Amino acid sequence: MNHDIYVLGIETSCDETAAAVVKNGTEILSNIVASQMESHKRFGGVVPEIASRHHVEQITLVIEEAMRKADVSFQQLSAIAVTQGPGLVGALLIGVNAAKALAFAHGLPLVGVHHIAGHIYANRLVTEMKFPLLSLVVSGGHTELVYMEGHGKFQVIGETRDDAAGEAYDKVARALNLPYPGGPHIDRLAQEGKVTIDLPRAWLEEGSYDFSFSGLKSAVLNTLHNANQRGEIIDPKDMAASFQASVIDVLVTKTVNAAKEYNVRQVLLAGGVAANRGLRAELERKMAELDHIELVIPPLSLCTDNAAMIAAAGTVLFAQGKLADMALNADPSLELD
């Protein structure tokens, strides 16, 4: 008898329309992403109304392509998993309603997935998770440290109190006249610059695993403004390197300290900013000193928003019997239990 679990994942929380089919929570059969980056670029950020309209146009095509590429029929699916939140409510609703319609039409179980749980479970598409583990989630809207004792058990031990790391990157990039999204541009410039500008690092109170990036962002803007007033030019490469060094120092130090305190077996990197080369390199360097803890970093395609990660997280929820019903709704401020 065939006990393979096939899950269709759907993700529309921000500006990527994505669908994927994953087998047994670990094997990607298809992972289709339609990005809207070009539409939002000229506004310097994601415009929710435009994002929603794009999702409406793309969702059916993306799901059809994911099913076709996976060579799986709806009859073979075990469940449909969809991002329920957090995210832009108008964007989330497109995915949630597409998932509900398909689940209803084909009599399939429906699973609602937390977007951050998805980012964490992207790592399971790389290697099996070993508990207890710690995940550093860094993306445009989120920066948090999540401790997990087992599948589906999430304990947020630290989170940002103001800007997420990705937001700080975008705001600093704008000040340096770099295109949106700023992260990759600052990362690239930072590789070429030198850390010559003394910028603050927000450690917060003793033993805290929380983050704060708005002070750093303000310090960058003030430094640029003051230099401008004096008629001095600050090399954008050096500013990018100095800013990135501050962000990475805090992220990596807190992650390493938490990994030691919680005595974890694995540290997982997750979220869009996990694509940052500087962050990857420093985390690898610092974690190498802790040879008993395995560091897992997903490939770039699984760091940014995608639906394979939602299917992977959804497979675990499905196996645990945590199903949704037709009353499932988008929740823009959904908490990670």
Side-chain angles (χ1 to χ4, degrees), residues 121-200:
Y121 271 89
N123 285 281
R124 198 172 178 226
L125 298 164
V126 179
T127 186
E128 192 49 78
M129 292 155 88
K130 301 187 184 87
F131 302 103
L133 61 80
L134 179 73
S135 183
L136 170 64
V137 182
V138 266
S139 68
H142 301 270
T143 303
E144 43 208 59
L145 278 167
V146 182
Y147 174 69
M148 294 181 69
E149 283 186 336
H151 280 302
K153 293 188 180 134
F154 305 97
Q155 186 188 342
V156 179
I157 61 168
E159 58 193 330
T160 183
R161 295 184 184 174
D162 40 63
D163 289 1
E167 284 174 280
Y169 267 92
D170 287 339
K171 287 169 182 172
V172 167
R174 195 173 303 162
L176 294 172
N177 295 315
L178 298 169
Y180 172 86
H185 297 288
I186 289 184
D187 190 23
R188 197 187 65 244
L189 277 184
Q191 312 289 329
E192 302 165 17
K194 294 187 186 67
V195 182
T196 55
I197 301 145
D198 191 25
L199 293 170

Side-chain angles (χ1 to χ4, degrees), residues 99-334:
K100 281 161 76 166
L102 288 169
F104 181 76
H106 297 284
L108 287 165
L110 182 65
V111 181
V113 175
H114 191 289
H115 185 71
I116 296 302
H119 276 304
I120 294 170
Y121 271 89
N123 285 281
R124 198 172 178 226
L125 298 164
V126 179
T127 186
E128 192 49 78
M129 292 155 88
K130 301 187 184 87
F131 302 103
L133 61 80
L134 179 73
S135 183
L136 170 64
V137 182
V138 266
S139 68
H142 301 270
T143 303
E144 43 208 59
L145 278 167
V146 182
Y147 174 69
M148 294 181 69
E149 283 186 336
H151 280 302
K153 293 188 180 134
F154 305 97
Q155 186 188 342
V156 179
I157 61 168
E159 58 193 330
T160 183
R161 295 184 184 174
D162 40 63
D163 289 1
E167 284 174 280
Y169 267 92
D170 287 339
K171 287 169 182 172
V172 167
R174 195 173 303 162
L176 294 172
N177 295 315
L178 298 169
Y180 172 86
H185 297 288
I186 289 184
D187 190 23
R188 197 187 65 244
L189 277 184
Q191 312 289 329
E192 302 165 17
K194 294 187 186 67
V195 182
T196 55
I197 301 145
D198 191 25
L199 293 170
R201 284 152 173 72
W203 299 111
L204 305 172
E205 46 292 344
E206 187 70 38
S208 169
Y209 291 123
D210 278 355
F211 303 100
S212 168
F213 295 110
S214 72
L216 169 62
K217 171 201 69 190
S218 301
V220 171
L221 300 182
N222 289 338
T223 305
L224 290 170
H225 178 72
N226 294 341
N228 198 25
Q229 298 288 78
R230 292 194 300 268
E232 296 168 9
I233 302 275
I234 292 181
D235 187 338
K237 293 193 185 77
D238 294 345
M239 180 54 91
S242 304
F243 165 75
Q244 175 143 305
S246 173
V247 174
I248 289 173
D249 190 11
V250 175
L251 288 175
V252 172
T253 304
K254 293 202 178 212
T255 302
V256 169
N257 290 347
K260 288 185 202 158
E261 186 189 327
Y262 283 83
N263 203 9
V264 298
R265 295 174 64 196
Q266 254 181 352
V267 168
L268 315 180
L269 190 54
V273 182
N276 184 291
R277 282 179 301 173
L279 175 59
R280 287 170 168 247
E282 183 61 13
L283 198 54
E284 280 169 353
R285 197 176 71 77
K286 278 277 172 51
M287 289 297 299
E289 297 163 19
L290 308 175
D291 51 5
H292 59 292
I293 303 177
E294 181 188 8
L295 174 64
V296 186
I297 302 180
L300 301 186
S301 61
L302 292 176
C303 290
T304 48
D305 289 352
N306 66 87
M309 67 184 198
I310 301 303
T315 302
V316 169
L317 292 169
F318 170 71
Q320 292 177 340
K322 294 178 182 165
L323 306 179
D325 56 24
M326 283 298 143
L328 177 71
N329 200 359
D331 185 347
S333 50
L334 185 68

